[in-house]
Amino acid sequence: MQMQHRSFSMSFDHFRLLNLSFSVNEGFKEKEPVPINTQISLANKYDKRKKVLLIRLKASLTTGKVPFFFEIESEGRFVFKENPDDNTIKNFSVINCPAIMFPYVRETIADMTRRAGFQPLHLAPINFVALSKKRKDEIE
């Protein structure tokens, strides 16, 4: 997938799973649907020499009165034709790249829950622009 942004181009080189865990909450007895509040976290590393941006996206549900728990950690590799400025790297790290990766994470969680005998859990889409702004506001 090629993306054009200003004077440089970026390609999405690969997506891979780094960690995947799932467990059934044997103590869960509810018959009604329960809200699922998945936690999302991001980390990044940019190598200027190789012009490679690695993004780690982690989605987890590890507590609560829910039918199952999971944690998925993934990595996306993005390659730039030319080195972008630091602000562009920051924006791509928290908005563009996670938005490209998130459908892969959603698909993995839906398949994992289905294979465990539950209705597939389709995580709600995430507005990474709004999430970035919210996190920035919390820091300030």
Side-chain angles (χ1 to χ4, degrees), residues 49-128:
R49 189 176 58 75
K50 295 180 180 179
K51 300 180 198 124
V52 170
L53 175 62
L54 295 177
I55 301 293
R56 289 204 174 181
L57 191 151
K58 184 176 178 180
S60 58
L61 176 64
T62 56
T63 60
K65 293 182 180 181
V66 292
F68 47 77
F69 303 107
F70 64 83
E71 184 171 88
I72 177 172
E73 186 175 1
S74 60
E75 178 182 77
R77 178 183 158 103
F78 299 85
V79 180
F80 290 85
K81 187 174 180 180
E82 297 176 20
N83 278 314
D85 59 67
D86 290 343
N87 192 47
T88 300
I89 289 295
K90 180 180 175 187
N91 286 334
F92 270 69
S93 296
V94 297
I95 298 171
N96 303 73
C97 297
I100 292 169
M101 294 171 61
F102 191 66
Y104 294 92
V105 171
R106 286 184 79 218
E107 175 189 38
T108 302
I109 291 170
D111 187 51
M112 183 173 51
T113 54
R114 180 189 59 81
R115 289 177 184 269
F118 297 96
Q119 288 290 324
L121 173 61
H122 298 284
L123 297 179
I126 294 177
N127 180 337
F128 284 97

Side-chain angles (χ1 to χ4, degrees), residues 28-43:
F28 183 78
K29 304 291 184 213
E30 301 291 322
K31 299 286 186 220
E32 296 295 316
V34 297
I36 302 290
N37 295 316
T38 304
Q39 299 297 313
I40 302 291
S41 64
L42 296 168

